[in-house]
Amino acid sequence: QVQLVESGGGLVQAGGALRLSCAASGRTFISLAMGWFRQAPGKEREFVAGISMSSGISSHADYVKGRFTISRDNAKNTMYLQMNSLKPEDTAVYYCAADLVAFPRRGVGDYKYWGQGTQVTVSS
């Protein structure tokens, strides 16, 4: 069993920045692949970025490349999402996800464990 707790969401103006955190507990952190997803009102949950906790190999969705960066701190069992140059269309609930696989995947169904979500609102 893996427990995930997100933090760091909030309200920010367009062009601003936020850093989300996801703290994991319950299993060996190094054996996880983790990801960030987001879901805007009336839309499906979509992949944002993913990372392998063991290797640090990461991937980012095209619509956030150059603006968002995923990272991890194995000593703290924590994953981060640094979000820069935020746009109103980035407004969504952001979810942390994890599974016991080596490399991050992009599908919602590829992750067994989910956090409760944190709201990010970008005003224009």
Side-chain angles (χ1 to χ4, degrees):
Q1 192 74 6
V2 176
Q3 293 79 43
L4 304 172
V5 179
E6 303 102 330
S7 60
L11 173 64
V12 64
Q13 289 188 331
L18 283 174
R19 188 177 80 157
L20 305 182
S21 299
C22 175
S25 61
R27 287 295 296 261
T28 303
F29 189 71
I30 202 73
S31 60
L32 299 173
M34 298 183 69
W36 288 100
F37 288 75
R38 68 185 185 185
Q39 188 166 18
K43 295 188 177 181
E44 293 186 350
R45 192 169 299 187
E46 62 182 6
F47 174 80
V48 175
I51 190 166
S52 166
M53 296 301 104
S54 58
S55 66
I57 293 173
S58 65
S59 66
H60 297 75
D62 287 345
Y63 40 83
V64 302
K65 279 183 180 177
R67 299 190 300 124
F68 293 9
T69 303
I70 192 171
S71 63
R72 94 284 195 214
D73 185 335
N74 289 349
K76 296 182 178 180
N77 285 4
T78 301
M79 174 182 68
Y80 303 98
L81 185 68
Q82 179 65 45
M83 305 187 294
N84 299 329
S85 302
L86 283 160
K87 305 175 181 180
E89 50 264 44
D90 294 319
T91 294
V93 177
Y94 283 71
Y95 295 91
C96 169
D99 207 344
L100 295 168
V101 294
F103 298 104
R105 301 173 186 174
R106 298 191 171 209
V108 172
D110 292 326
Y111 292 84
K112 181 176 181 179
Y113 304 103
W114 291 84
Q116 80 287 351
T118 185
Q119 177 70 47
V120 171
T121 303
V122 185
S123 63
S124 57

